[in-house]
Amino acid sequence: MPEPLLEVSDLRIRFGGFTAVDGLSFSVRPGEVLGVVGESGSGKSVSMLGVLGLIRTPGAKISGKVVFRGRDLLALKNAEMRAIRGREIAMIFQDPMTALTPVYTIGWQIAEQVRAHEKVSKRAARDRAIKLLDEVGIPAPEQRVDAYPHEFSGGMRQRAVIAMALSCNPALLIADEPTTALDVTTQAQILDLLRRLRADHGSAVVMITHDMGVVSEIADEVLVMYGGRAVERGSRTEVFHSPRHPYTWGLLDSVPRVSGPRVRRLPTIPGTPGAAGQGCPFADRCTHRLAACAEAPPLSGTAGHLDACWLPEEEKTR
Amino acid sequence: MIGYILRRFGAAVLVLFAISVLVFLIFFATPGVDPAARIAGKNADPATLAQVRASFGFDRPLPVQYVLMMKHLFVSHDLTSFVNRGTLVIPQIIDAVPVTLSLVVGAAVIWMVLGVGMGTLAGAMRGTLVDPLVMLLGVFGVSLPVYWLGEVVNLITQKQLHGSVFSWVPPLGYAPLSQGVGQWALHLLFPWLTLALLYAGIYARLLRGELINALNEDYVRTARAKGLSERRILIRHALRCSLIPIVSLFGLDFGALVGGAALLTEVVFGLPGVGKLTYQALQNLDLPVIMGTVLYAAFFVVLANAVVDVLYARLDPRVRRA
């Protein structure tokens, strides 16, 4: 098994008295796609922002270890972290409509990132921008490079943002719900694009999403988060075909099926997401609640398929 | 872009025309006022009245009157003051313009530098002690009225401390550029500072708010994720977008001030500018002078707005095609 590219262990992020991420551990191998799933407020976005050192809320406390290519990112100085951001780890965000500075051309913004990390001429940076736009499927990139963000549609902007993220050939791409703000056809195109780019560039991808469909399309490994903790982790096939945590069951049940009888209402998970407390964060909403749930279960299991649940082994298979 | 500029200035010309018609109607078609008597001057004899009536066409239809009026204003420049008969209105305004322009341009430079500097500092240092301190200074500037601050400054620099610290301050009044840049600037230094203080406070507060909003925008997060330096993010991304509303406000303020809104400052510091001219004309109900200065003010406000809109389009590509 190759060395992990990114290894996060016991990451904790607290805002005042509120714990957003509570002891999260995971790793990403080179070239692998990790899908991070969970509902809003499960801590998936904030944990990735924490990895990149992008949390700037005053009073936020971040602890744990984030080792990327042998260096602990949380211990790096600002300037050292800047050299990694955008060059070795790139991030794309949910809403492409607001992710680009409105007053500069697309090409200028891509060139800016290139020139922030590499000593190249303006001309060369612009040429690179044209090449990248072409690569992400923007028609007539020689002209489009001089267009402003407001002249692009949502899907085109997300392509431009992806082109920008790939401009320095990052080893790791963190995509925070890159398809959520787009319509379904565009979603499929963007996922296609990400898959193709991964093959071409060999970047590892962390795909944050609440859409099980997206995960099933693109992920190699899946990390299910709830209440700031990892509740299940495993390969895509394992998590989709033999899910072991009641929360994952709920998530998978709430996806409409193509085959089988048509249900009048999709099943839902009762209650609303709560914050990480003393016990298992999912206990309040869980139909399988045990007395042991007052204490948080550790993430454990065999052969790379882990879950955090006190249920006896034989009851974890359905 | 060129098309936009042409369209914008075309619109400005139309607005100016509309204003001139409006001003003309207010002054000459108001019932119960004999415009001929207003233009002929105090205690004019019947012969002069008749001559004015003929020359301005007051016995002819309104459109003809309008054209004749504009001819007197812009072509022959021979409109005379109601109070000081024989004093031509247009040359009076032309003499006053450099004073007002000197005052306002100098003050504008100072308030923009101060306002943008203070606003950026406060916005970027939010959460530290610097922010409330700078903003307190801004409120201080906004709350001091020009007529009071100006008089206090005069009291200190011309009287109380004139014998010691401020012995270098020249007497009140204006020194044209022909007397040398040094004298010109020295005479205008305190008027500049007094006028600029108010606007610097307003601009600093406005910019701080805009900047804090911009720093919370998604594109700033993108810029951070790109690995740019904080300074570059602040200046090239956040400040660049925050300046757009500042520029439009600046155009309005600058136009209004050049048009005579610096009146208080001019009166307090004894500067013979357009504001002071309007002030005197208003006191005497000197109709020809009022009309001249109103049209002049409208011209500057409209021109400044047109220039700002063009600048706005330079700054914000989203406006260009609107």
PDB file of all heavy atoms in Angstrom, chain A residues 303-318:
ATOM      1  N   ALA A 303     -10.140  -4.782   8.121  1.00  0.00           N
ATOM      2  CA  ALA A 303      -9.812  -4.737   6.688  1.00  0.00           C
ATOM      3  C   ALA A 303     -10.260  -3.445   6.018  1.00  0.00           C
ATOM      4  O   ALA A 303     -10.856  -3.444   4.956  1.00  0.00           O
ATOM      5  CB  ALA A 303     -10.398  -5.942   5.955  1.00  0.00           C
ATOM      6  N   GLY A 304     -10.039  -2.314   6.681  1.00  0.00           N
ATOM      7  CA  GLY A 304     -10.285  -1.026   6.027  1.00  0.00           C
ATOM      8  C   GLY A 304     -11.725  -0.579   6.051  1.00  0.00           C
ATOM      9  O   GLY A 304     -12.045   0.511   5.624  1.00  0.00           O
ATOM     10  N   HIS A 305     -12.653  -1.414   6.539  1.00  0.00           N
ATOM     11  CA  HIS A 305     -14.042  -0.953   6.653  1.00  0.00           C
ATOM     12  C   HIS A 305     -14.353  -0.704   8.124  1.00  0.00           C
ATOM     13  O   HIS A 305     -14.525  -1.641   8.888  1.00  0.00           O
ATOM     14  CB  HIS A 305     -14.994  -2.000   6.053  1.00  0.00           C
ATOM     15  CG  HIS A 305     -16.398  -1.491   5.924  1.00  0.00           C
ATOM     16  ND1 HIS A 305     -17.426  -2.253   5.465  1.00  0.00           N
ATOM     17  CD2 HIS A 305     -16.937  -0.284   6.192  1.00  0.00           C
ATOM     18  CE1 HIS A 305     -18.543  -1.546   5.461  1.00  0.00           C
ATOM     19  NE2 HIS A 305     -18.254  -0.341   5.908  1.00  0.00           N
ATOM     20  N   LEU A 306     -14.405   0.576   8.519  1.00  0.00           N
ATOM     21  CA  LEU A 306     -14.543   0.919   9.926  1.00  0.00           C
ATOM     22  C   LEU A 306     -15.882   1.582  10.171  1.00  0.00           C
ATOM     23  O   LEU A 306     -16.463   2.214   9.293  1.00  0.00           O
ATOM     24  CB  LEU A 306     -13.426   1.900  10.338  1.00  0.00           C
ATOM     25  CG  LEU A 306     -12.005   1.542   9.928  1.00  0.00           C
ATOM     26  CD1 LEU A 306     -11.075   2.685  10.267  1.00  0.00           C
ATOM     27  CD2 LEU A 306     -11.566   0.268  10.600  1.00  0.00           C
ATOM     28  N   ASP A 307     -16.375   1.435  11.419  1.00  0.00           N
ATOM     29  CA  ASP A 307     -17.578   2.159  11.783  1.00  0.00           C
ATOM     30  C   ASP A 307     -17.519   2.497  13.259  1.00  0.00           C
ATOM     31  O   ASP A 307     -16.783   1.878  14.024  1.00  0.00           O
ATOM     32  CB  ASP A 307     -18.821   1.335  11.462  1.00  0.00           C
ATOM     33  CG  ASP A 307     -18.888   0.076  12.287  1.00  0.00           C
ATOM     34  OD1 ASP A 307     -18.289  -0.935  11.856  1.00  0.00           O
ATOM     35  OD2 ASP A 307     -19.488   0.104  13.384  1.00  0.00           O
ATOM     36  N   ALA A 308     -18.306   3.496  13.649  1.00  0.00           N
ATOM     37  CA  ALA A 308     -18.345   3.898  15.040  1.00  0.00           C
ATOM     38  C   ALA A 308     -19.744   3.640  15.566  1.00  0.00           C
ATOM     39  O   ALA A 308     -20.607   4.511  15.523  1.00  0.00           O
ATOM     40  CB  ALA A 308     -17.974   5.370  15.187  1.00  0.00           C
ATOM     41  N   CYS A 309     -19.995   2.410  16.021  1.00  0.00           N
ATOM     42  CA  CYS A 309     -21.317   2.068  16.534  1.00  0.00           C
ATOM     43  C   CYS A 309     -21.171   0.939  17.538  1.00  0.00           C
ATOM     44  O   CYS A 309     -20.326   0.051  17.390  1.00  0.00           O
ATOM     45  CB  CYS A 309     -22.233   1.636  15.388  1.00  0.00           C
ATOM     46  SG  CYS A 309     -23.940   1.405  15.928  1.00  0.00           S
ATOM     47  N   TRP A 310     -22.006   0.989  18.603  1.00  0.00           N
ATOM     48  CA  TRP A 310     -21.938  -0.052  19.636  1.00  0.00           C
ATOM     49  C   TRP A 310     -22.738  -1.293  19.269  1.00  0.00           C
ATOM     50  O   TRP A 310     -22.729  -2.276  19.995  1.00  0.00           O
ATOM     51  CB  TRP A 310     -22.479   0.482  20.968  1.00  0.00           C
ATOM     52  CG  TRP A 310     -21.613   1.543  21.599  1.00  0.00           C
ATOM     53  CD1 TRP A 310     -21.961   2.815  21.858  1.00  0.00           C
ATOM     54  CD2 TRP A 310     -20.281   1.391  22.094  1.00  0.00           C
ATOM     55  NE1 TRP A 310     -20.933   3.487  22.459  1.00  0.00           N
ATOM     56  CE2 TRP A 310     -19.873   2.634  22.611  1.00  0.00           C
ATOM     57  CE3 TRP A 310     -19.371   0.310  22.126  1.00  0.00           C
ATOM     58  CZ2 TRP A 310     -18.622   2.851  23.158  1.00  0.00           C
ATOM     59  CZ3 TRP A 310     -18.112   0.532  22.680  1.00  0.00           C
ATOM     60  CH2 TRP A 310     -17.748   1.797  23.189  1.00  0.00           C
ATOM     61  N   LEU A 311     -23.468  -1.272  18.186  1.00  0.00           N
ATOM     62  CA  LEU A 311     -24.270  -2.441  17.826  1.00  0.00           C
ATOM     63  C   LEU A 311     -23.383  -3.681  17.707  1.00  0.00           C
ATOM     64  O   LEU A 311     -22.257  -3.599  17.222  1.00  0.00           O
ATOM     65  CB  LEU A 311     -24.968  -2.223  16.474  1.00  0.00           C
ATOM     66  CG  LEU A 311     -26.261  -1.424  16.435  1.00  0.00           C
ATOM     67  CD1 LEU A 311     -26.745  -1.338  14.991  1.00  0.00           C
ATOM     68  CD2 LEU A 311     -27.324  -2.088  17.294  1.00  0.00           C
ATOM     69  N   PRO A 312     -23.899  -4.830  18.132  1.00  0.00           N
ATOM     70  CA  PRO A 312     -23.110  -6.052  17.960  1.00  0.00           C
ATOM     71  C   PRO A 312     -22.870  -6.344  16.472  1.00  0.00           C
ATOM     72  O   PRO A 312     -23.697  -5.965  15.629  1.00  0.00           O
ATOM     73  CB  PRO A 312     -23.987  -7.141  18.576  1.00  0.00           C
ATOM     74  CG  PRO A 312     -25.145  -6.455  19.214  1.00  0.00           C
ATOM     75  CD  PRO A 312     -25.173  -5.045  18.798  1.00  0.00           C
ATOM     76  N   GLU A 313     -21.733  -6.970  16.183  1.00  0.00           N
ATOM     77  CA  GLU A 313     -21.309  -7.195  14.799  1.00  0.00           C
ATOM     78  C   GLU A 313     -22.419  -7.781  13.921  1.00  0.00           C
ATOM     79  O   GLU A 313     -22.661  -7.324  12.804  1.00  0.00           O
ATOM     80  CB  GLU A 313     -20.101  -8.132  14.754  1.00  0.00           C
ATOM     81  CG  GLU A 313     -18.776  -7.442  15.055  1.00  0.00           C
ATOM     82  CD  GLU A 313     -18.512  -6.246  14.157  1.00  0.00           C
ATOM     83  OE1 GLU A 313     -18.634  -6.397  12.915  1.00  0.00           O
ATOM     84  OE2 GLU A 313     -18.203  -5.152  14.673  1.00  0.00           O
ATOM     85  N   GLU A 314     -23.119  -8.803  14.456  1.00  0.00           N
ATOM     86  CA  GLU A 314     -24.097  -9.499  13.607  1.00  0.00           C
ATOM     87  C   GLU A 314     -25.289  -8.606  13.258  1.00  0.00           C
ATOM     88  O   GLU A 314     -25.935  -8.793  12.237  1.00  0.00           O
ATOM     89  CB  GLU A 314     -24.563 -10.813  14.265  1.00  0.00           C
ATOM     90  CG  GLU A 314     -25.240 -10.671  15.619  1.00  0.00           C
ATOM     91  CD  GLU A 314     -24.245 -10.552  16.776  1.00  0.00           C
ATOM     92  OE1 GLU A 314     -23.034 -10.387  16.511  1.00  0.00           O
ATOM     93  OE2 GLU A 314     -24.675 -10.586  17.947  1.00  0.00           O
ATOM     94  N   GLU A 315     -25.538  -7.557  14.075  1.00  0.00           N
ATOM     95  CA  GLU A 315     -26.665  -6.679  13.764  1.00  0.00           C
ATOM     96  C   GLU A 315     -26.290  -5.567  12.802  1.00  0.00           C
ATOM     97  O   GLU A 315     -27.121  -4.798  12.363  1.00  0.00           O
ATOM     98  CB  GLU A 315     -27.237  -6.082  15.057  1.00  0.00           C
ATOM     99  CG  GLU A 315     -28.061  -7.088  15.854  1.00  0.00           C
ATOM    100  CD  GLU A 315     -28.684  -6.452  17.082  1.00  0.00           C
ATOM    101  OE1 GLU A 315     -29.074  -5.266  16.994  1.00  0.00           O
ATOM    102  OE2 GLU A 315     -28.746  -7.142  18.114  1.00  0.00           O
ATOM    103  N   LYS A 316     -24.980  -5.446  12.505  1.00  0.00           N
ATOM    104  CA  LYS A 316     -24.556  -4.371  11.630  1.00  0.00           C
ATOM    105  C   LYS A 316     -24.729  -4.718  10.156  1.00  0.00           C
ATOM    106  O   LYS A 316     -24.453  -3.921   9.282  1.00  0.00           O
ATOM    107  CB  LYS A 316     -23.091  -4.018  11.897  1.00  0.00           C
ATOM    108  CG  LYS A 316     -22.911  -3.167  13.160  1.00  0.00           C
ATOM    109  CD  LYS A 316     -21.455  -2.825  13.346  1.00  0.00           C
ATOM    110  CE  LYS A 316     -21.244  -2.130  14.661  1.00  0.00           C
ATOM    111  NZ  LYS A 316     -19.806  -2.018  14.961  1.00  0.00           N
ATOM    112  N   THR A 317     -25.091  -5.944   9.878  1.00  0.00           N
ATOM    113  CA  THR A 317     -25.342  -6.307   8.481  1.00  0.00           C
ATOM    114  C   THR A 317     -26.838  -6.402   8.286  1.00  0.00           C
ATOM    115  O   THR A 317     -27.554  -6.881   9.155  1.00  0.00           O
ATOM    116  CB  THR A 317     -24.674  -7.662   8.143  1.00  0.00           C
ATOM    117  OG1 THR A 317     -25.042  -8.571   9.163  1.00  0.00           O
ATOM    118  CG2 THR A 317     -23.175  -7.525   8.094  1.00  0.00           C
ATOM    119  N   ARG A 318     -27.288  -5.909   7.168  1.00  0.00           N
ATOM    120  CA  ARG A 318     -28.734  -5.956   6.930  1.00  0.00           C
ATOM    121  C   ARG A 318     -29.039  -6.832   5.734  1.00  0.00           C
ATOM    122  O   ARG A 318     -28.327  -6.799   4.747  1.00  0.00           O
ATOM    123  CB  ARG A 318     -29.261  -4.542   6.646  1.00  0.00           C
ATOM    124  CG  ARG A 318     -29.180  -3.656   7.841  1.00  0.00           C
ATOM    125  CD  ARG A 318     -30.030  -2.429   7.623  1.00  0.00           C
ATOM    126  NE  ARG A 318     -29.583  -1.701   6.428  1.00  0.00           N
ATOM    127  CZ  ARG A 318     -30.271  -0.699   5.883  1.00  0.00           C
ATOM    128  NH1 ARG A 318     -31.421  -0.341   6.403  1.00  0.00           N
ATOM    129  NH2 ARG A 318     -29.827  -0.059   4.830  1.00  0.00           N
TER     130      ARG A 318
END
